[in-house]
Amino acid sequence: MGPLDRKAYFDDARRIVVKVGSNVLTEDDGLNLKVVRSISRQICRLIDRGLEVILVSSGAMAAGIRKIGLARRPDEIPKRQAVSAVGQAGLIMEYENAFERYGNKVAQILLTGDNLSNRKMYLNARNTLHTLLAWQVVPIINENDTVAIESIKFGDNDNLAAQITLMMDADLLIILSDIDGLFDKDPRHFPDARLIPAVTHFSRTIEKQASAIPGSLGSGGMLSKIKAARKVTSSGIPMVIANGNIPDVLEHIFDGQAIGTFFVPGEERMAKRKCWIGYSIKPEGSLTIDDGAVTAIVRRGKSLLPSGILEVEGDFGIGAGVQFKSTTGEILGVGLVNYSAADIRKIRGLQSSRIAEKLGEKPYDEVIHRDNLVITEHCP
């Protein structure tokens, strides 16, 4: 299929992830039940076409704010978590009622970053989702705001949706927002803003355009959606940003209509384990590497050797996830280390042949083997 033949991608899709943002799902006095029911109906129709659908839904915080009668989102973490608990109950109840109208069952899954950073929990979550899909139950996923703290948060549901897409080896991610797609400037303030129909590669210009278009109710603006797109497309999965307020938008997308912005995927799918390493684990430290190591890793697909390491940040053990970055501070990727931070400090800058001299043993030549290394953030 050609890179811009979006209909071919949709025709080949069998498992999709749909993320719906807070601005789509809420109105002044709480949940917009008309939209909840519309999204639910559309997903049920996609299921009737033979698709497996996983729904990542925001809206708990916004629904709770309106339900309790608060003027705005609280600043204090305990109050935010309490508001989310109130809102999540109403959110899942409305989804259950809406899907039941079309003979479909739903399941609520609440996750934190820790759940997917831990390999065992990650696999357990994936097995649970596979089981629900096999039972023809629609998983409805949200971040567990009731217990999540900053250190274990996903950041926003765009990131969560991207991680779920990778974890479940889905064929497509659709993000429904209150904006028509990615524009060259904020269309809410510039009447001459132009919609970008397709993105074939990422650049600093794309990120700059996205960062100028903020969100309001939700925690993620357009930049968070671009970051989600980079994750999934670099792993060989296409993504669409579209306006969730367009009637029957999901069905129109699968009918081949050029709605929203389509992000063209890379040519090859990333291995599932590498998806976990690159986009789910929480880095426990970082390594600054020299220009030669950058070229070897990014351009030639090599492992990270101790000779290319300049600085070590953090205190981590063997097997930890660690970021590696250039001398200019650009984060290039993540990998699982073969040595602790203390030992890397001892062998940094040395040839592999001298590891045993410094440590008394030499279990590995590489600090990070290429099989345990993922380039995540390199952007021309």
Side-chain angles (χ1 to χ4, degrees), residues 119-167:
R119 182 63 175 171
K120 184 175 181 180
M121 292 182 181
Y122 178 92
L123 294 175
N124 285 343
R126 189 173 72 183
N127 291 338
T128 297
L129 288 170
H130 277 299
T131 300
L132 290 171
L133 293 175
W135 288 348
Q136 297 183 327
V137 175
V138 178
I140 301 179
I141 303 173
N142 199 357
E143 180 160 22
N144 193 350
D145 289 323
T146 302
V147 300
I149 56 177
E150 196 62 34
S151 62
I152 59 174
K153 285 178 67 66
F154 290 101
D156 54 73
N157 272 356
D158 297 320
N159 181 40
L160 173 57
Q163 290 196 38
I164 295 298
T165 300
L166 298 175
M167 179 175 73

Side-chain angles (χ1 to χ4, degrees), residues 22-332:
S22 297
N23 292 333
V24 177
L25 292 169
T26 57
E27 56 185 0
D28 291 339
D29 57 352
L31 278 177
N32 187 331
L33 299 183
K34 181 179 179 181
V35 172
V36 171
R37 291 164 185 166
S38 173
I39 295 296
S40 303
R41 183 189 71 250
Q42 292 176 63
I43 290 175
C44 290
R45 289 180 176 173
L46 293 182
I47 292 172
D48 290 340
R49 296 189 185 194
L51 292 167
E52 294 180 338
V53 183
I54 298 170
L55 175 61
V56 176
S57 177
S58 302
M61 178 77 73
I65 289 171
R66 305 300 177 43
K67 192 171 183 179
I68 295 173
L70 301 177
R72 63 182 182 85
R73 181 184 302 201
D75 294 326
E76 302 89 343
I77 289 178
K79 289 184 179 179
R80 288 190 180 191
Q81 293 173 327
V83 166
S84 295
V86 172
Q88 184 66 34
L91 181 67
I92 198 67
M93 181 182 70
E94 293 300 338
Y95 273 126
E96 188 169 30
N97 292 337
F99 275 90
E100 190 174 22
R101 294 185 178 190
Y102 304 96
N104 288 292
K105 296 179 174 62
V106 302
Q108 174 180 260
I109 297 179
L110 302 177
L111 297 170
T112 66
D114 259 4
N115 298 144
L116 300 190
S117 181
N118 179 282
R119 182 63 175 171
K120 184 175 181 180
M121 292 182 181
Y122 178 92
L123 294 175
N124 285 343
R126 189 173 72 183
N127 291 338
T128 297
L129 288 170
H130 277 299
T131 300
L132 290 171
L133 293 175
W135 288 348
Q136 297 183 327
V137 175
V138 178
I140 301 179
I141 303 173
N142 199 357
E143 180 160 22
N144 193 350
D145 289 323
T146 302
V147 300
I149 56 177
E150 196 62 34
S151 62
I152 59 174
K153 285 178 67 66
F154 290 101
D156 54 73
N157 272 356
D158 297 320
N159 181 40
L160 173 57
Q163 290 196 38
I164 295 298
T165 300
L166 298 175
M167 179 175 73
M168 295 303 294
D169 199 24
D171 300 306
L172 174 67
L173 170 60
I174 300 174
I175 292 183
L176 298 181
S177 182
D178 62 341
I179 193 169
D180 289 336
L182 175 64
F183 286 78
D184 59 356
K185 61 183 81 173
D186 192 340
R188 292 168 290 192
H189 301 295
F190 299 93
D192 61 338
R194 294 181 301 170
L195 178 70
I196 300 172
V199 174
T200 57
H201 68 280
F202 293 91
S203 65
R204 301 299 183 195
T205 301
I206 291 290
E207 291 195 354
K208 185 177 180 180
Q209 290 167 339
S211 64
I213 306 176
S216 50
L217 266 178
S219 59
M222 185 57 66
L223 183 58
S224 73
K225 294 168 179 52
I226 296 305
K227 290 181 177 179
R230 286 185 61 181
K231 288 181 174 70
V232 298
T233 56
S234 67
S235 305
I237 302 171
M239 190 183 106
V240 175
I241 299 174
N243 194 326
N245 294 310
I246 297 175
D248 299 324
V249 60
L250 292 176
E251 295 177 88
H252 292 325
I253 288 173
F254 275 88
D255 287 338
Q257 295 187 26
I259 294 175
T261 300
F262 179 69
F263 294 84
V264 180
E267 294 182 1
E268 295 184 6
R269 287 254 179 150
M270 186 183 293
K272 293 179 183 178
R273 187 170 178 274
K274 283 206 168 189
C275 288
W276 171 72
I277 293 173
Y279 301 115
S280 291
I281 64 173
K282 298 288 185 181
E284 298 180 34
S286 67
L287 305 174
T288 300
I289 62 177
D290 62 26
D291 293 343
V294 171
T295 299
I297 292 171
V298 174
R299 304 298 181 192
R300 297 163 53 199
K302 300 295 185 178
S303 301
L304 175 59
L305 303 178
S307 59
I309 299 174
L310 300 174
E311 299 292 339
V312 182
E313 296 178 37
D315 183 15
F316 48 84
I318 297 171
V322 175
Q323 291 178 329
F324 49 93
K325 58 186 180 181
S326 69
T327 54
T328 61
E330 180 185 15
I331 297 172
L332 303 174

